[in-house]
Amino acid sequence: MLSIALAGKPNAGKSTFYQAATMAEVDVGNYPFTTIDANRGVTHVRTECPCLDREERCGDEHCHDGKRYVPVELLDVAGLVPGAHEGKGLGNQFLDELSNADVVLHVVDAAGATNAEGEPVEIGEHDPVDDLDFIEREMDLWLASIVERNWESVERASRSPDFDLDETLVDLLSGVGASELDVSRALREIDYPDDPIQWTDEDREALARDIRERTKPIVVVANKADIAPEENLRRLREAADTVIPATADGELALRKAAEAGVIEYDPGDADFEIVGDLSDQQQQGLEKIRDVMAEWGGTGIQDALDYAVYDLLEHITVYPVQNETHWTDGQGNVLPDAFLLPESSTPTDLAYAVHSDIGDGYLHAVDARKEMRISDETELEEGDVIKIVSTAN
Ligand SMILES: Nc1nc2c(ncn2[C@@H]2O[C@H](COP(=O)(O)OP(=O)(O)OP(=O)(O)O)[C@@H](O)[C@H]2O)c(=O)[nH]1
Ligand SMILES: [Mg+2]
């Protein structure tokens, strides 16, 4: 499963985001380092279900009237402070928890209501733009320290006649999610001495930085948008590539209200409808959230997850079925599965994603929308419904 990590300084709202997105109970508090042990759970990205192109909605538990929710892993780690890679704050063991993340959501307190260490201050007192860079820097230095720590093994390997730098570095960096392609591209990007013994700290840092950018891309979530000065959001947007204004607190309130049956709201909707009895106070609280949603097109929580997976990681959703006419599995369930695959994946890639046996036994594939056989080199697209014919099924 794709893994999304929430990172940021203490008290920015990571656990609130996590709780809203997973509906799991976690500790939230207006003080630094509320979270010590990482929380790991399942959330969803939202897309349009292919059943929208048919007469009836599919009724899958992950499909709400054509809004399809596809599972991804979400990780909530302890707050990071500048110097974390050398043990400051709760230290670098928390950076290690980012190892298997495919993408990082950097949760920033856009309200500027907490200082660099996450201690509460007056709204607007701290400049959130100052928080932007440190996460990248801490991650870069953390990765550099991993390379540094293991460099002796690279030097040792380099004495062997069949030494291959690419291969050795893939062994070293696969634990943080680097593929062969990442390593070969990184080595093309940086200048370095042929002999590993000649590498300097700067060479290793350049490698680490390049690998970090490839393996841990970052989306900035400007949280606490409900109380953030407009000015802060504007400046954050100027300072970073992608900034998604959000209110984790607001999303949490909406999800709880929806669960209690007093509002109709699906995560990622731009608005909600009140359908139950509410006290004046509850109503006022919800109307405040509605105002924030009107400004940004929603609470931003679902948007941030969707942006990370579909835009930044460039993934598509593909639906394997066994019956190409009814779009069902062997039990008659309509569109029972959704897989997230990198753009330009092929039917064979899908077969392997379903199961390695299905991949090994792959014969051909059928596009269930057209009920036509497709070539093995076809680049699959968002919303494709595909039947895999394999000796294994
Ligand atoms: N106004 C406002 N407050 C929020 C929002 N999201 C979270 N908070 C508050 O911010 C404080 C910190 O929230 P947490 O979710 O515990 O923050 P964290 O980043 O997990 O903090 P650590 O675990 O200490 O790193 C709490 O008081 C939350 O209620 C939001 O969207 N708006
Ligand atoms: Mg927390």
Side-chain angles (χ1 to χ4, degrees), residues 234-370:
R234 189 179 57 73
R235 290 177 51 253
L236 279 168
R237 289 186 134 177
E238 276 168 15
D241 290 340
T242 313
V243 175
I244 301 183
T247 173
D249 227 16
E251 176 75 8
L252 183 58
L254 294 186
R255 295 236 189 165
K256 284 183 172 167
E259 204 174 52
V262 291
I263 66 166
E264 252 173 43
Y265 170 73
D266 287 319
D269 284 354
D271 200 1
F272 60 87
E273 193 185 337
I274 296 178
V275 292
D277 292 332
L278 293 170
S279 69
D280 285 352
Q281 201 189 352
Q282 284 172 317
Q283 177 126 13
Q284 271 170 23
L286 287 174
E287 291 306 331
K288 261 198 202 136
I289 299 170
R290 203 197 295 276
D291 291 343
V292 183
M293 294 171 85
E295 185 153 359
W296 305 110
T299 66
I301 300 305
Q302 190 65 58
D303 280 358
L305 296 165
D306 296 347
Y307 184 87
V309 169
Y310 290 115
D311 296 275
L312 202 56
L313 292 180
E314 300 185 325
H315 273 50
I316 54 169
T317 330
V318 182
Y319 302 78
V321 293
Q322 286 186 37
N323 183 308
E324 68 266 42
T325 311
H326 300 293
W327 296 9
T328 50
D329 63 9
Q331 282 78 49
N333 301 307
V334 181
L335 296 169
D337 292 311
F339 282 82
L340 291 166
L341 300 176
E343 266 174 20
S344 64
S345 290
T346 62
T348 331
D349 295 327
L350 173 64
Y352 274 105
V354 173
H355 198 282
S356 58
D357 291 345
I358 305 269
D360 288 341
Y362 175 87
L363 298 172
H364 70 266
V366 177
D367 179 337
R369 286 177 184 275
K370 303 190 184 112

Side-chain angles (χ1 to χ4, degrees), residues 10-16 28-29 33-35 79 223-224 226 247-249:
N11 220 346
K14 299 178 295 297
S15 297
T16 309
V28 165
F33 303 121
T34 304
T35 305
N223 193 37
K224 309 193 188 180
D226 52 319
T247 173
D249 227 16

